[in-house]
Amino acid sequence: MQDIKEVSRLRLLGLSQRTIAKQCRISRNTVKLFYDFLDSRGWDYHTIKDFDWLQIIDLIELQLKSVRELHYELPDYEKLVKELSKPGVTMQLLWEEYVQNCRRSNQLYYQITQFKKHFHDYINTHSFTDVIQHKPGDRIEVDWAGTPVMYMDPDHGGMVSGSLFVAVLPFSGYTFAWACPDQKQASWIDAHLRMFSYFGGVSQLLVPDNLKTGVIKHPKYEDPILNVSYREMAEHYGCVVLPTRVRKPKDKASVENSVNQLTRFIIARLRNHQFFTLMEYNEQLLITLDAFNHKPFQKKPGSRSEAFEQFEQAFLRPLPKYPYTFCQWRKAKVQMNSHIQFEKRYYSVPYRFIGNEIEVKVYADHLEMIASSSVIAQHQRLGVPMGGYSTVPDHMPPQSQIHQNWSKERFIREANLIGIHTTKVIEQIFENVKHEAQGYKTAVSILKLAELYSVERLENACRRLLEKGQYPRYKHLKTLLQNGQDKMRSSDIEADQRSEKAFVRGGQYYARK
């Protein structure tokens, strides 16, 4: 009674709550409770100074009971769990919103420590622990399964092995799998494209292992160096590739666990099925995978599919308008004829790049030549035969600006110094190309044979080649010179060729019989 009277008296004097608490040797919370008690009844010091202390105690106990009920008002934890699963939402933010709601409704609220304690108790008792560990749509973990998939080779009758690509969304556990012929880069990228299509969206992060098809190098204290095609694919879909630490499989524990489960659920179940193509295997795999995703959880309600559709699918970012087109990168040097060589075929580039090394972006149906981050030429891959040329006339240099003054006439003049047969071979080379520059490399290579062997031997080799009626090629002439056929007479060559085609044992062999 004396405390509340003293508090009301000091309050009337205009002292602060902190000063009053210090003066009366009570807590500020008690001072606040006294304030609330007096304000709820409209009393001040003049009203209560003559009150009986037993009456005041009863009234205070009644007030404290009411205040405690307001103070321990619990938030709607079921609603907060769903809010916490959204990107960017934290426990601190939810507590601040909870405090604002309590203040609007004139209720006392829990402090952050008790708020979190009750929140964690609710989550642990309602099987929502994944909310704390993962965010929906935040990442996709990918890996190869260690156990190979097997199918029948219809041509040879033997078993062929392939690799199983596995991807999982850690929040819901929703899983994708696809059987690939190998673990090369083309299969790796193709499996990712099918994965995005299956999920119907894209995550913010891609978490692979440090395999060479995705990561070239991962220094311990530096950023990983990604494969160019893998990095371009991630940029096309708006993802960030975050490889695991080296030899740290727990960084992608979800996919490691899914690999073990899919090995038992899919590979083991399909081991006795007979498939003659990888496509047949994948058709049955998708059916089995759907059953795996709809399988009920053991320790909590629902399934992977339900958790994905209810919580996670909406948080995946939409797919781009066009899917990524896989390509590979190569390096090539521009030859003196203003062409590069790729897979034994020749493609032209502008003549100003002669002698420079450029990058070649290889697609399934066309090539892009790149220098200084700019596309300098494009060519279709289809329709170019082995050893053939794909030439854009504008890429060829003007006749007055040919590199080192090379020209058809110059090579014919040099061939005349060797002999008439060599001249005839050089002339035929230029007669069989669409553009003069296409024959420069072959002409240079043939004339250099005179330096390796001799002028006389090159002339004889050209004569032998023309006698056979073959199309003049550098490799034919080099074979003649290496075998020494340019030194042999025609009759000796024919006899030698016949002897190579027959097994002649002689009379002594049969006499021993």
Side-chain angles (χ1 to χ4, degrees):
M1 176 180 175
Q2 295 301 326
D3 285 342
I4 192 170
K5 286 184 177 182
E6 183 65 11
V7 167
S8 62
R9 185 183 71 82
L10 295 176
R11 183 185 185 187
L12 188 64
L13 297 176
L15 300 181
S16 66
Q17 292 186 27
R18 184 184 298 274
T19 304
I20 294 173
K22 186 176 181 180
Q23 184 73 23
C24 298
R25 296 183 179 181
I26 58 178
S27 68
R28 281 182 292 163
N29 288 337
T30 304
V31 173
K32 177 68 167 56
L33 290 177
F34 287 163
Y35 275 25
D36 294 339
F37 172 75
L38 296 171
D39 292 342
S40 64
R41 286 161 174 76
W43 294 346
D44 58 10
Y45 173 72
H46 299 294
T47 307
I48 68 171
K49 66 179 181 178
D50 298 325
F51 275 15
D52 182 75
W53 68 273
L54 291 176
Q55 182 183 4
I56 295 178
I57 289 176
D58 291 339
L59 292 172
I60 290 176
E61 286 295 331
L62 212 72
Q63 180 75 8
L64 289 176
K65 182 178 179 182
S66 174
V67 169
R68 288 192 191 100
E69 290 177 355
L70 292 174
H71 181 71
Y72 291 105
E73 181 71 21
L74 294 174
D76 187 353
Y77 285 121
E78 183 177 356
K79 179 182 178 181
L80 294 182
V81 164
K82 295 181 180 180
E83 291 297 316
L84 185 61
S85 67
K86 297 179 180 180
V89 178
T90 62
M91 297 278 278
Q92 178 72 26
L93 176 61
L94 293 177
W95 176 77
E96 292 174 358
E97 293 175 348
Y98 157 72
V99 170
Q100 291 176 2
N101 292 333
C102 288
R103 286 174 175 173
R104 291 193 199 100
S105 58
N106 231 357
Q107 296 175 340
L108 297 177
Y109 49 84
Y110 282 117
Q111 295 300 317
I112 183 67
T113 304
Q114 288 297 313
F115 177 83
K116 287 184 176 181
K117 178 184 178 301
H118 291 297
F119 202 167
H120 281 286
D121 291 343
Y122 178 84
I123 290 175
N124 291 329
T125 56
H126 290 75
S127 300
F128 282 109
T129 54
D130 284 344
V131 174
I132 304 301
Q133 298 175 3
H134 303 289
K135 293 291 185 181
D138 179 63
R139 62 175 55 197
I140 299 176
E141 298 177 3
V142 295
D143 200 2
W144 293 108
T147 305
V149 299
M150 305 297 295
Y151 61 98
M152 182 75 69
D153 187 346
D155 297 328
H156 302 92
M159 298 300 293
V160 181
S161 64
S163 298
L164 186 68
F165 172 86
V166 180
V168 61
L169 290 160
F171 177 83
S172 62
Y174 197 60
T175 305
F176 170 76
W178 188 258
C180 303
D182 49 49
Q183 294 187 9
K184 294 182 180 179
Q185 191 178 37
S187 299
W188 177 250
I189 298 294
D190 178 68
H192 277 73
L193 303 186
R194 295 179 183 274
M195 171 195 72
F196 289 133
S197 178
Y198 184 84
F199 289 153
V202 183
S203 66
Q204 295 182 1
L205 297 176
L206 272 177
V207 185
D209 208 341
N210 290 277
L211 69 173
K212 289 298 181 182
T213 50
V215 182
I216 297 175
K217 189 178 181 181
H218 194 169
K220 187 173 183 180
Y221 299 106
E222 300 177 16
D223 293 334
I225 302 173
L226 303 179
N227 185 284
V228 177
S229 297
Y230 194 45
R231 175 175 54 78
E232 287 187 341
M233 183 212 70
E235 291 175 353
H236 181 82
Y237 285 93
C239 299
V240 176
V241 178
L242 186 66
T244 60
R245 293 170 294 172
V246 178
R247 298 180 182 177
K248 298 291 182 181
K250 289 186 177 181
D251 287 358
K252 53 179 180 60
S254 298
V255 73
E256 294 287 346
N257 183 47
S258 296
V259 165
N260 295 332
Q261 294 187 52
L262 287 175
T263 300
R264 296 191 300 267
F265 197 91
I266 293 181
I267 297 181
R269 289 171 185 263
L270 301 182
R271 71 188 188 281
N272 294 324
H273 290 246
Q274 195 172 45
F275 305 101
F276 291 99
T277 64
L278 201 58
M279 187 55 67
E280 290 182 5
Y281 190 100
N282 281 316
E283 289 176 358
Q284 185 61 41
L285 182 149
L286 291 176
I287 297 174
T288 311
L289 178 65
D290 187 65
F292 175 79
N293 283 324
H294 283 84
K295 182 182 177 182
F297 290 124
Q298 293 183 355
K299 297 182 180 180
K300 56 184 179 182
S303 64
R304 293 175 178 83
S305 180
E306 291 177 4
F308 171 74
E309 294 173 359
Q310 183 177 359
F311 294 105
E312 192 158 25
Q313 190 173 25
F315 294 102
L316 292 175
R317 289 181 290 181
L319 295 170
K321 186 176 181 180
Y322 300 103
Y324 173 74
T325 303
F326 172 68
C327 67
Q328 294 177 301
W329 289 82
R330 297 288 186 270
K331 290 185 180 294
K333 186 174 182 179
V334 182
Q335 301 170 3
M336 298 307 176
N337 60 359
S338 196
H339 286 70
I340 64 157
Q341 180 181 358
F342 176 74
E343 294 183 344
K344 298 183 179 180
R345 295 167 175 84
Y346 301 90
Y347 303 90
S348 67
V349 298
Y351 65 89
R352 65 180 180 276
F353 295 100
I354 289 176
N356 296 334
E357 188 178 63
I358 64 172
E359 292 182 320
V360 183
K361 202 172 183 180
V362 183
Y363 292 92
D365 57 348
H366 71 283
L367 304 175
E368 289 183 359
M369 289 67 172
I370 299 175
S372 301
S373 302
S374 299
V375 178
I376 60 175
Q378 289 187 354
H379 288 272
Q380 294 295 320
R381 294 181 63 183
L382 306 177
V384 180
M386 190 78 70
Y389 284 78
S390 175
T391 305
V392 177
D394 292 341
H395 291 169
M396 296 296 100
Q399 198 66 23
S400 59
Q401 299 178 6
I402 293 179
H403 186 74
Q404 294 182 352
N405 295 321
W406 284 9
S407 65
K408 171 184 175 182
E409 290 73 17
R410 173 184 171 177
F411 290 115
I412 293 177
R413 285 197 305 270
E414 292 182 2
N416 282 328
L417 299 176
I418 298 174
I420 59 173
H421 298 100
T422 306
T423 304
K424 184 64 175 175
V425 168
I426 297 299
E427 289 176 347
Q428 288 189 11
I429 288 171
F430 284 103
E431 289 173 359
N432 288 279
V433 295
K434 293 182 178 180
H435 196 280
E436 180 182 311
Q438 294 176 348
Y440 291 164
K441 182 182 176 182
T442 305
V444 169
S445 301
I446 290 175
L447 294 176
K448 280 189 176 182
L449 291 174
E451 300 176 6
L452 295 175
Y453 297 94
S454 68
V455 172
E456 292 77 12
R457 290 191 63 185
L458 177 58
E459 176 68 10
N460 288 334
C462 289
R463 179 174 57 81
R464 294 290 186 194
L465 194 67
L466 294 172
E467 287 176 354
K468 292 181 179 182
Q470 293 181 338
Y471 176 76
R473 291 185 181 275
Y474 167 75
K475 65 177 182 178
H476 294 159
L477 287 169
K478 188 174 182 180
T479 302
L480 285 174
L481 292 167
Q482 287 177 339
N483 296 337
Q485 292 183 2
D486 59 292
K487 300 178 181 179
M488 301 172 62
R489 295 177 300 178
S490 300
S491 58
D492 294 335
I493 295 174
E494 293 175 1
D496 186 59
Q497 291 175 345
R498 287 196 301 270
S499 65
E500 291 178 355
K501 298 178 182 178
F503 295 95
V504 181
R505 296 183 176 89
Q508 293 181 353
Y509 174 83
Y510 294 100
R512 289 198 302 271
K513 295 293 184 180

PDB file of all heavy atoms in Angstrom, residues 133-149:
ATOM      1  N   GLN A 133      15.703 -25.217 -41.959  1.00  0.00           N
ATOM      2  CA  GLN A 133      16.911 -25.600 -42.681  1.00  0.00           C
ATOM      3  C   GLN A 133      16.944 -25.065 -44.105  1.00  0.00           C
ATOM      4  O   GLN A 133      18.006 -24.735 -44.616  1.00  0.00           O
ATOM      5  CB  GLN A 133      17.022 -27.132 -42.708  1.00  0.00           C
ATOM      6  CG  GLN A 133      17.151 -27.727 -41.310  1.00  0.00           C
ATOM      7  CD  GLN A 133      17.150 -29.243 -41.340  1.00  0.00           C
ATOM      8  OE1 GLN A 133      17.105 -29.849 -42.397  1.00  0.00           O
ATOM      9  NE2 GLN A 133      17.174 -29.863 -40.173  1.00  0.00           N
ATOM     10  N   HIS A 134      15.823 -25.015 -44.782  1.00  0.00           N
ATOM     11  CA  HIS A 134      15.803 -24.665 -46.202  1.00  0.00           C
ATOM     12  C   HIS A 134      14.687 -23.658 -46.491  1.00  0.00           C
ATOM     13  O   HIS A 134      13.684 -23.595 -45.778  1.00  0.00           O
ATOM     14  CB  HIS A 134      15.587 -25.915 -47.067  1.00  0.00           C
ATOM     15  CG  HIS A 134      16.610 -26.984 -46.840  1.00  0.00           C
ATOM     16  ND1 HIS A 134      17.912 -26.867 -47.246  1.00  0.00           N
ATOM     17  CD2 HIS A 134      16.505 -28.194 -46.233  1.00  0.00           C
ATOM     18  CE1 HIS A 134      18.579 -27.964 -46.909  1.00  0.00           C
ATOM     19  NE2 HIS A 134      17.752 -28.777 -46.291  1.00  0.00           N
ATOM     20  N   LYS A 135      14.889 -22.920 -47.589  1.00  0.00           N
ATOM     21  CA  LYS A 135      13.875 -22.006 -48.092  1.00  0.00           C
ATOM     22  C   LYS A 135      13.272 -22.606 -49.365  1.00  0.00           C
ATOM     23  O   LYS A 135      13.995 -23.181 -50.187  1.00  0.00           O
ATOM     24  CB  LYS A 135      14.490 -20.645 -48.414  1.00  0.00           C
ATOM     25  CG  LYS A 135      14.987 -19.891 -47.187  1.00  0.00           C
ATOM     26  CD  LYS A 135      13.846 -19.435 -46.310  1.00  0.00           C
ATOM     27  CE  LYS A 135      14.344 -18.584 -45.146  1.00  0.00           C
ATOM     28  NZ  LYS A 135      13.246 -18.146 -44.271  1.00  0.00           N
ATOM     29  N   PRO A 136      11.972 -22.485 -49.568  1.00  0.00           N
ATOM     30  CA  PRO A 136      11.366 -23.064 -50.769  1.00  0.00           C
ATOM     31  C   PRO A 136      11.851 -22.373 -52.036  1.00  0.00           C
ATOM     32  O   PRO A 136      11.928 -21.148 -52.102  1.00  0.00           O
ATOM     33  CB  PRO A 136       9.863 -22.847 -50.552  1.00  0.00           C
ATOM     34  CG  PRO A 136       9.784 -21.703 -49.598  1.00  0.00           C
ATOM     35  CD  PRO A 136      10.970 -21.826 -48.704  1.00  0.00           C
ATOM     36  N   GLY A 137      12.199 -23.189 -53.034  1.00  0.00           N
ATOM     37  CA  GLY A 137      12.642 -22.657 -54.317  1.00  0.00           C
ATOM     38  C   GLY A 137      13.986 -21.982 -54.280  1.00  0.00           C
ATOM     39  O   GLY A 137      14.370 -21.322 -55.241  1.00  0.00           O
ATOM     40  N   ASP A 138      14.740 -22.157 -53.178  1.00  0.00           N
ATOM     41  CA  ASP A 138      16.014 -21.452 -53.041  1.00  0.00           C
ATOM     42  C   ASP A 138      17.139 -22.126 -53.814  1.00  0.00           C
ATOM     43  O   ASP A 138      17.977 -21.455 -54.392  1.00  0.00           O
ATOM     44  CB  ASP A 138      16.380 -21.355 -51.564  1.00  0.00           C
ATOM     45  CG  ASP A 138      17.707 -20.654 -51.347  1.00  0.00           C
ATOM     46  OD1 ASP A 138      17.794 -19.465 -51.696  1.00  0.00           O
ATOM     47  OD2 ASP A 138      18.643 -21.292 -50.829  1.00  0.00           O
ATOM     48  N   ARG A 139      17.168 -23.476 -53.831  1.00  0.00           N
ATOM     49  CA  ARG A 139      18.271 -24.179 -54.472  1.00  0.00           C
ATOM     50  C   ARG A 139      17.829 -25.528 -55.030  1.00  0.00           C
ATOM     51  O   ARG A 139      16.826 -26.099 -54.591  1.00  0.00           O
ATOM     52  CB  ARG A 139      19.413 -24.407 -53.478  1.00  0.00           C
ATOM     53  CG  ARG A 139      19.058 -25.272 -52.277  1.00  0.00           C
ATOM     54  CD  ARG A 139      20.280 -25.556 -51.410  1.00  0.00           C
ATOM     55  NE  ARG A 139      20.939 -24.336 -51.005  1.00  0.00           N
ATOM     56  CZ  ARG A 139      22.174 -24.308 -50.542  1.00  0.00           C
ATOM     57  NH1 ARG A 139      22.873 -25.416 -50.437  1.00  0.00           N
ATOM     58  NH2 ARG A 139      22.727 -23.162 -50.165  1.00  0.00           N
ATOM     59  N   ILE A 140      18.596 -25.987 -56.009  1.00  0.00           N
ATOM     60  CA  ILE A 140      18.456 -27.336 -56.548  1.00  0.00           C
ATOM     61  C   ILE A 140      19.822 -28.002 -56.438  1.00  0.00           C
ATOM     62  O   ILE A 140      20.824 -27.465 -56.910  1.00  0.00           O
ATOM     63  CB  ILE A 140      17.999 -27.337 -58.015  1.00  0.00           C
ATOM     64  CG1 ILE A 140      16.629 -26.675 -58.166  1.00  0.00           C
ATOM     65  CG2 ILE A 140      17.936 -28.755 -58.565  1.00  0.00           C
ATOM     66  CD1 ILE A 140      16.164 -26.551 -59.614  1.00  0.00           C
ATOM     67  N   GLU A 141      19.872 -29.176 -55.800  1.00  0.00           N
ATOM     68  CA  GLU A 141      21.110 -29.929 -55.677  1.00  0.00           C
ATOM     69  C   GLU A 141      21.127 -31.032 -56.739  1.00  0.00           C
ATOM     70  O   GLU A 141      20.128 -31.743 -56.913  1.00  0.00           O
ATOM     71  CB  GLU A 141      21.231 -30.522 -54.272  1.00  0.00           C
ATOM     72  CG  GLU A 141      21.293 -29.457 -53.179  1.00  0.00           C
ATOM     73  CD  GLU A 141      21.340 -30.038 -51.785  1.00  0.00           C
ATOM     74  OE1 GLU A 141      21.386 -31.283 -51.665  1.00  0.00           O
ATOM     75  OE2 GLU A 141      21.332 -29.262 -50.819  1.00  0.00           O
ATOM     76  N   VAL A 142      22.258 -31.169 -57.447  1.00  0.00           N
ATOM     77  CA  VAL A 142      22.356 -32.099 -58.572  1.00  0.00           C
ATOM     78  C   VAL A 142      23.589 -32.976 -58.405  1.00  0.00           C
ATOM     79  O   VAL A 142      24.596 -32.558 -57.818  1.00  0.00           O
ATOM     80  CB  VAL A 142      22.420 -31.345 -59.917  1.00  0.00           C
ATOM     81  CG1 VAL A 142      21.136 -30.606 -60.190  1.00  0.00           C
ATOM     82  CG2 VAL A 142      23.593 -30.363 -59.941  1.00  0.00           C
ATOM     83  N   ASP A 143      23.516 -34.192 -58.970  1.00  0.00           N
ATOM     84  CA  ASP A 143      24.646 -35.121 -58.873  1.00  0.00           C
ATOM     85  C   ASP A 143      24.396 -36.319 -59.788  1.00  0.00           C
ATOM     86  O   ASP A 143      23.277 -36.513 -60.283  1.00  0.00           O
ATOM     87  CB  ASP A 143      24.816 -35.589 -57.425  1.00  0.00           C
ATOM     88  CG  ASP A 143      26.201 -36.149 -57.155  1.00  0.00           C
ATOM     89  OD1 ASP A 143      27.045 -36.133 -58.089  1.00  0.00           O
ATOM     90  OD2 ASP A 143      26.461 -36.592 -56.025  1.00  0.00           O
ATOM     91  N   TRP A 144      25.445 -37.102 -60.002  1.00  0.00           N
ATOM     92  CA  TRP A 144      25.342 -38.392 -60.700  1.00  0.00           C
ATOM     93  C   TRP A 144      25.230 -39.503 -59.656  1.00  0.00           C
ATOM     94  O   TRP A 144      25.909 -39.462 -58.626  1.00  0.00           O
ATOM     95  CB  TRP A 144      26.563 -38.664 -61.565  1.00  0.00           C
ATOM     96  CG  TRP A 144      26.749 -37.770 -62.745  1.00  0.00           C
ATOM     97  CD1 TRP A 144      27.690 -36.801 -62.894  1.00  0.00           C
ATOM     98  CD2 TRP A 144      25.991 -37.771 -63.960  1.00  0.00           C
ATOM     99  NE1 TRP A 144      27.571 -36.188 -64.111  1.00  0.00           N
ATOM    100  CE2 TRP A 144      26.533 -36.769 -64.795  1.00  0.00           C
ATOM    101  CE3 TRP A 144      24.914 -38.507 -64.429  1.00  0.00           C
ATOM    102  CZ2 TRP A 144      26.037 -36.493 -66.055  1.00  0.00           C
ATOM    103  CZ3 TRP A 144      24.408 -38.241 -65.684  1.00  0.00           C
ATOM    104  CH2 TRP A 144      24.959 -37.244 -66.483  1.00  0.00           C
ATOM    105  N   ALA A 145      24.401 -40.488 -59.932  1.00  0.00           N
ATOM    106  CA  ALA A 145      24.329 -41.658 -59.055  1.00  0.00           C
ATOM    107  C   ALA A 145      25.518 -42.567 -59.331  1.00  0.00           C
ATOM    108  O   ALA A 145      25.980 -42.696 -60.467  1.00  0.00           O
ATOM    109  CB  ALA A 145      23.016 -42.408 -59.279  1.00  0.00           C
ATOM    110  N   GLY A 146      26.021 -43.217 -58.282  1.00  0.00           N
ATOM    111  CA  GLY A 146      27.179 -44.087 -58.467  1.00  0.00           C
ATOM    112  C   GLY A 146      26.835 -45.403 -59.145  1.00  0.00           C
ATOM    113  O   GLY A 146      27.667 -45.988 -59.850  1.00  0.00           O
ATOM    114  N   THR A 147      25.619 -45.870 -58.966  1.00  0.00           N
ATOM    115  CA  THR A 147      25.203 -47.138 -59.582  1.00  0.00           C
ATOM    116  C   THR A 147      24.753 -46.896 -61.017  1.00  0.00           C
ATOM    117  O   THR A 147      23.891 -46.045 -61.259  1.00  0.00           O
ATOM    118  CB  THR A 147      24.049 -47.769 -58.778  1.00  0.00           C
ATOM    119  OG1 THR A 147      24.452 -47.907 -57.407  1.00  0.00           O
ATOM    120  CG2 THR A 147      23.675 -49.127 -59.354  1.00  0.00           C
ATOM    121  N   PRO A 148      25.301 -47.632 -62.011  1.00  0.00           N
ATOM    122  CA  PRO A 148      24.912 -47.396 -63.410  1.00  0.00           C
ATOM    123  C   PRO A 148      23.546 -47.985 -63.722  1.00  0.00           C
ATOM    124  O   PRO A 148      23.069 -48.916 -63.055  1.00  0.00           O
ATOM    125  CB  PRO A 148      26.008 -48.115 -64.204  1.00  0.00           C
ATOM    126  CG  PRO A 148      26.472 -49.206 -63.300  1.00  0.00           C
ATOM    127  CD  PRO A 148      26.361 -48.663 -61.897  1.00  0.00           C
ATOM    128  N   VAL A 149      22.888 -47.436 -64.730  1.00  0.00           N
ATOM    129  CA  VAL A 149      21.652 -48.021 -65.262  1.00  0.00           C
ATOM    130  C   VAL A 149      22.035 -48.947 -66.424  1.00  0.00           C
ATOM    131  O   VAL A 149      23.002 -48.693 -67.132  1.00  0.00           O
ATOM    132  CB  VAL A 149      20.676 -46.923 -65.739  1.00  0.00           C
ATOM    133  CG1 VAL A 149      20.285 -46.028 -64.586  1.00  0.00           C
ATOM    134  CG2 VAL A 149      21.289 -46.081 -66.846  1.00  0.00           C
TER     135      VAL A 149
END
